[in-house]
């Protein structure tokens, strides 16, 4: 299963960014993998807006990878504490579409009704 897509625009005029986080921030969500496709023609390092991946661990400050959001670039990563990440400030409008995949079996067997409802009632 997957959650509805997220179309994101980070406005360059306000130096848009997304603070460090993990995508599976609640145990009952059972998010597994995140896929992001970038839609930014002619992007360069001077535009900022890199996707930054940190080393495993919720408090790690070790940067493992910075990825420029170039048009048609696809980034896949675990939606768990293994992959804390952020979007750095950009100085140009930055566009992306994200999909987060959910473990349906884990959701169905979770005693938390919110997890089951997401799968059984299409609340993804």
């Amino acid at each position: 299963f997957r959650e509805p897509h997220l179309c994101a625009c980070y406005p360059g005029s306000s130096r848009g960014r997304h603070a460090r986080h993990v995508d599976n921030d609640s145990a009952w969500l059972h998010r597994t993998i995140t896929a992001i496709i970038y839609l930014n023609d002619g992007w360069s390092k001077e535009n900022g807006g890199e996707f930054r991946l940190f080393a495993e661990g919720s408090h790690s400050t070790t940067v493992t990878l910075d990825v420029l959001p170039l048009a048609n670039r696809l980034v896949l990563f675990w939606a768990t504490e293994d992959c804390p990440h952020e979007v750095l400030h950009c100085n140009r409008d930055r566009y992306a579409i994200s999909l987060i995949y959910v473990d349906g079996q884990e959701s169905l067997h979770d005693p938390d009704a919110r997890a089951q409802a997401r799968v059984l009632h299409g609340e993804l």
Side-chain angles (χ1 to χ4, degrees):
F1 299 100
R2 70 169 176 82
E3 295 185 340
H5 65 279
L6 169 68
C7 296
C9 173
Y10 296 86
S13 61
S14 62
R15 295 184 37 94
R17 68 178 302 265
H18 193 161
R20 180 192 165 115
H21 65 284
V22 295
D23 289 343
N24 194 42
D25 55 2
S26 297
W28 61 271
L29 290 174
H30 302 290
R31 293 172 172 166
T32 57
I33 295 174
T34 300
I36 303 173
I37 184 100
Y38 295 109
L39 310 170
N40 307 296
D41 288 328
W43 199 270
S44 69
K45 182 142 180 77
E46 292 75 34
N47 299 130
E50 290 93 338
F51 169 87
R52 173 166 283 173
L53 184 66
F54 293 93
E56 183 178 344
S58 58
H59 300 293
S60 173
T61 58
T62 304
V63 175
T64 58
L65 184 67
D66 282 342
V67 178
L68 282 175
L70 303 175
N72 297 318
R73 177 170 279 169
L74 176 67
V75 176
L76 300 168
F77 57 96
W78 298 114
T80 64
E81 283 77 24
D82 293 347
C83 295
H85 57 280
E86 68 181 345
V87 174
L88 301 180
H89 292 283
C90 59
N91 55 34
R92 177 182 148 192
D93 291 352
R94 178 190 184 277
Y95 301 96
I97 299 174
S98 300
L99 296 173
I100 301 177
Y101 290 86
V102 175
D103 186 326
Q105 290 295 327
E106 287 290 326
S107 295
L108 286 173
H109 294 100
D110 191 314
D112 190 318
R114 294 174 294 179
Q116 295 172 14
R118 288 165 53 84
V119 175
L120 295 174
H121 303 295
E123 296 178 15
L124 287 175

